[in-house]
Amino acid sequence: MLTVYNCIVNEHDLRLIALAALICGISCFSAVNLLHHISRSTDRNRLAWLMIAATSTGFGIWATHFIAMLAFTPGIPSAYDPALSVLSLAASVALTAAGMWIATWRDEFDYHLVGGAVLGGGIAAMHYIGMAAFEVQGRIEWNLLLVAVSLLAGVTLAALALRVVLRRPSLRATSVGAVLLTLAICTLHFIGMGAVSIFPDSSIAISQYTIEPTSQAFAAAAATLVILVLSASALWIDLRFRRQKLEVDRMHGLANAAVEGLIVCDGNRIISANDSIARLTGMATATLNGMQLGDLFGADMSGFGEQPQEAELSGRDGTGIPVELIARSIDYCGKPHNVVAVRDIRERKKAELEILRLAHFDPLTGLANRRSFSSRLETEIAALDRAGKGSHLALLLLDLDRFKEVNDLYGHGAGDAMLQKVAHCAAGILRQGQVVARLGGDEFAIIAPNLTDPLEAGRIASALLTVMREENRLSVGGGLVSASIGIALYPSDAENQASLISHADTALYRAKTEGKDTYRYFEASMGAEARDKRVMEHELRQAVARQEFYLVYQPQKEISSGKMVGFEALIRWRHPTRGDVPPNIFIPVAEESGAIGQIGDWVLTAACEEAARWENPLTVAVNVSAVQLHNTNFSRKVHETLLNSRLAPGRLELEITETALVKDMPRALATLRQVKALGVRVAMDDFGTGYSSLSNLRAFPFDKIKIDGSFIKSVDKNGQVAAIVRAVLGLGRGLGLPVLAEGVETLGELKFLDAEACEIGQGYYIGRPGLIEEFGDLTGVEAPTVGSKAASCATEAFWPSRPRLHSRRAFRGFRA
């Protein structure tokens, strides 16, 4: 009896045994690697990977068996049945494929074990069918116990191998799985071979259709070559797949670090999307992968390339999201792909809309701004020119009366609220096609096209003024100031846009000068007045240099004694061609043009230099404009003037109106305190008019109160006026401030003031303004004859021992 065990132990070729083990190990390692690809593949690639893995593993099992069979020689004739040999190979491949299919169908414990058991069954089927193909000149008997052990060992080890490999894929699991599968093949083979006993028998003939062992060796060698090729291919594919996966993971990690959305496309098909695009669309990355670009950005993707292109991204809820797309070509997994950067531009679109709104609309009122107004006016004029005659276009310019003073008094917040209310009122009275715009500050404009009757423009203006008056009446404390409106018509009043605006502005100025809270149409004569005003503005800027200004002085006396206390310096303008221009004409023009600052400085210097020449220490009063008072260098100018003229500071008195204080009260208070520190006296001028406030008397360092002449007129005959004057005089006594009454014109007015203990008077009855040479007897400077005659004509009706100068209408400096 010849047992295979004895043959293996005593008569074997270790080189073939080692070769069989090597082939078995290579095929098993290839099998477990390919098994990972089967589990990760989609349905389309799953079958291809399965066939590669099953073929490689099946051939490996088959080659291991037959090379191991060739490792020993029984010493008697032997051969192999070709049909059964092929059948054993087919069974090995088929059952291996079935086992791998089951094991990777679901990632569950029982599927792994059942699939591994089927794979073990494939190993057993190949072995025992292969043994059936072995023909020898003798009888073969089997040890069934060892057969059963071989089957159990092969199935168990194969099941464990697939469980280890598929449970938690890793390099260690792959190595352990490959070892277990190798053990399953070798254990089953060698235990199965140990179950065989051969009894030589010369009477048994070998079939003539069998294959010689040498030929079988060539077949095993061919199978081995196939195994090596398939294994190498599988290994190369696995390494390439790993490399690609690492590249994909790295690029996906970099893509997820980007704030912008990134999409990798193969043609128009999305193969990878980062988390930013997933958040932007509201879709999962798995959903985005496989979609077409047209599904996200619309069907038309023509012109899409490396230049930035705006598009609309479709979100999960169907809403469109404005985005900007930029594409670049990259090498991805060894193939050219396109990467698309998707930038969310919603905030940019909002900013662009806001910029557009700010460029054409006023941010405070929401009305059209100056740019939008100019464009609309140009469009309407062009449309009217194309339409021809028969209709008119009206331009209404609106300016709030005394808005600046109110804004300074109550704060910019109240001023802004007032502008918003005016805008609301104006928008409420307009019809379709008419436009209201805010040009800046408190200036508004209304464009009213297609008017058949020019009087319709007046009705619009009247309606607006009526609405504003009603708002004033309903608002607590008077919510709105009044407004003045100027109206110009196209084409009757102007030939182009510039002249239309200019003429409407001229009409607006006329409305302001004629009482305010009204409207005026442009008239041809207004244009001449506007041009004359501009010429006067230019001439005023040159008048100081040309020495066209001069001063006159009006006496100020104690009412009780008639004692002379000082003069008020009053400016006059003698124009070379206009002649003497009254202050009520040129002073408002100087204030509007800004020339008042230069003129005021000249008055201060000339008055101080003149007063310094007087022998008698009389005071000189000089009016100060708001422009001078709010100049940061005003106190320095006063100081320099006193030093240069050598006038004692106590002889200079600056007269300030309360209207000049309200522009910037903190700065005005600081300036007056600096002036007071020099020793200069400060008087509140025109008390009782403008924005008179008792708090100003307490807050500002005044030395005197001057009652406006409008309250002195007929004070001896009007009880209400008399009561007001008595109250002011009592207020002055209570505050310890002397009171000067302006505009004393009659003896009765003078007697009333004397009876009420008013300290100082000034007016036509007390003394008319004149050149300083006329008052030489008062100043102590030798006067010409005319001055003596003027003094000698004084009346002694009130002050028997004092002369009374005849008076005439006089104009105050910086006031009409």
Side-chain angles (χ1 to χ4, degrees), residues 60-337:
I61 297 170
W62 186 82
T64 299
H65 170 78
F66 282 100
I67 291 175
M69 287 291 292
L70 293 173
F72 71 93
T73 55
I76 56 176
S78 62
Y80 294 92
D81 187 299
L84 290 177
S85 296
V86 174
L87 179 60
S88 66
L89 178 60
S92 175
V93 173
L95 291 176
T96 298
M100 289 182 172
W101 179 271
I102 295 171
T104 57
W105 183 255
R106 289 186 182 177
D107 189 16
E108 296 178 6
F109 176 78
D110 51 351
Y111 279 82
H112 297 168
L113 292 183
V114 171
V118 173
L119 177 59
I123 297 171
M126 190 287 310
H127 176 78
Y128 288 106
I129 294 175
M131 288 301 296
F134 180 66
E135 293 186 10
V136 68
Q137 198 171 12
R139 294 192 323 273
I140 297 176
E141 293 184 3
W142 294 90
N143 185 336
L144 297 181
L145 178 60
L146 291 178
V147 170
V149 171
S150 68
L151 292 174
L152 180 62
V155 170
T156 301
L157 290 173
L160 288 176
L162 266 61
R163 174 58 181 170
V164 169
V165 171
L166 297 175
R167 179 186 179 186
R168 190 172 299 169
S170 64
L171 180 59
R172 181 178 179 183
T174 300
S175 301
V176 173
V179 170
L180 289 175
L181 188 58
T182 302
L183 289 175
I185 298 171
C186 293
T187 301
L188 190 147
H189 175 81
F190 288 108
I191 293 176
M193 291 296 290
V196 176
S197 296
I198 301 175
F199 296 91
D201 187 353
S202 59
S203 63
I204 298 176
I206 298 175
S207 173
Q208 59 179 347
Y209 299 106
T210 57
I211 302 174
E212 294 292 332
T214 303
S215 301
Q216 190 72 6
F218 283 106
T224 301
L225 181 60
V226 172
I227 292 168
L228 292 175
V229 171
L230 289 175
S231 298
S233 300
L235 182 60
W236 178 80
I237 292 172
D238 181 66
L239 292 175
R240 183 171 178 270
F241 179 81
R242 288 176 184 274
R243 232 178 9 253
Q244 290 180 352
K245 186 176 184 303
L246 288 174
E247 182 180 357
V248 170
D249 291 343
R250 181 176 60 84
M251 292 192 64
H252 195 68
L254 291 174
N256 284 333
V259 177
E260 295 180 345
L262 293 176
I263 299 174
V264 179
C265 301
D266 185 4
N268 281 328
R269 185 174 64 87
I270 300 173
I271 63 173
S272 180
N274 69 346
D275 294 342
S276 296
I277 192 67
R279 286 191 297 268
L280 190 60
T281 59
M283 304 179 189
T285 54
T287 304
L288 292 170
N289 294 340
M291 294 179 64
Q292 297 291 319
L293 282 177
D295 298 335
L296 291 180
F297 305 108
D300 184 14
M301 295 299 293
S302 60
F304 176 69
E306 294 189 357
Q307 295 300 321
Q309 173 184 339
E310 292 188 4
E312 189 173 85
L313 174 65
S314 299
R316 182 177 62 181
D317 54 359
T319 58
I321 302 171
V323 294
E324 184 179 69
L325 306 179
I326 302 175
R328 294 289 187 274
S329 179
I330 63 169
D331 182 73
Y332 183 79
C333 297
K335 292 177 58 180
H337 288 74

Side-chain angles (χ1 to χ4, degrees), residues 642-721:
L642 292 173
L643 291 176
N644 294 334
S645 64
R646 298 184 180 181
L647 178 68
R651 293 180 58 195
L652 176 62
E653 185 177 276
L654 301 180
E655 297 186 358
I656 312 293
T657 62
E658 285 189 281
T659 304
L661 301 176
V662 298
K663 179 180 180 182
D664 190 343
M665 288 190 175
R667 175 178 292 184
L669 178 59
T671 301
L672 292 182
R673 285 176 176 171
Q674 293 171 357
V675 170
K676 286 283 292 181
L678 298 174
V680 177
R681 299 168 59 82
V682 180
M684 177 183 283
D685 197 11
D686 295 342
F687 184 79
T689 64
Y691 296 97
S692 296
S693 172
L694 298 180
S695 64
N696 291 336
L697 292 175
R698 178 176 59 85
F700 290 92
F702 292 111
D703 299 294
K704 182 186 294 183
I705 300 174
K706 297 187 69 174
I707 306 177
D708 188 71
S710 61
F711 293 99
I712 304 303
K713 186 177 179 61
S714 303
V715 69
D716 55 328
K717 300 176 183 179
N718 190 317
Q720 292 181 341
V721 174

Side-chain angles (χ1 to χ4, degrees), residues 567-617:
F567 292 94
E568 180 178 4
L570 305 173
I571 190 171
R572 296 293 183 265
W573 183 21
R574 182 165 293 159
H575 191 272
T577 58
R578 299 175 188 265
D580 288 335
V581 182
N584 65 335
I585 298 297
F586 73 82
I587 291 297
V589 176
E591 289 178 340
E592 291 179 12
S593 64
I596 193 66
Q598 180 188 16
I599 295 173
D601 291 343
W602 177 86
V603 172
L604 178 64
T605 301
C608 289
E609 291 177 349
E610 177 60 42
R613 290 194 292 268
W614 302 341
E615 294 183 3
N616 296 331

Side-chain angles (χ1 to χ4, degrees), residues 2 169 249 293 386 456 760 776:
L2 180 65
D249 291 343
L293 282 177
R386 289 193 299 270
E456 292 183 29
I760 308 172

Side-chain angles (χ1 to χ4, degrees), residues 38-55:
I38 299 172
S39 61
R40 289 191 297 258
S41 299
T42 58
D43 291 340
R44 184 168 55 182
N45 298 326
R46 182 182 177 84
L47 183 60
W49 282 110
L50 181 65
M51 294 309 299
I52 292 173
T55 303

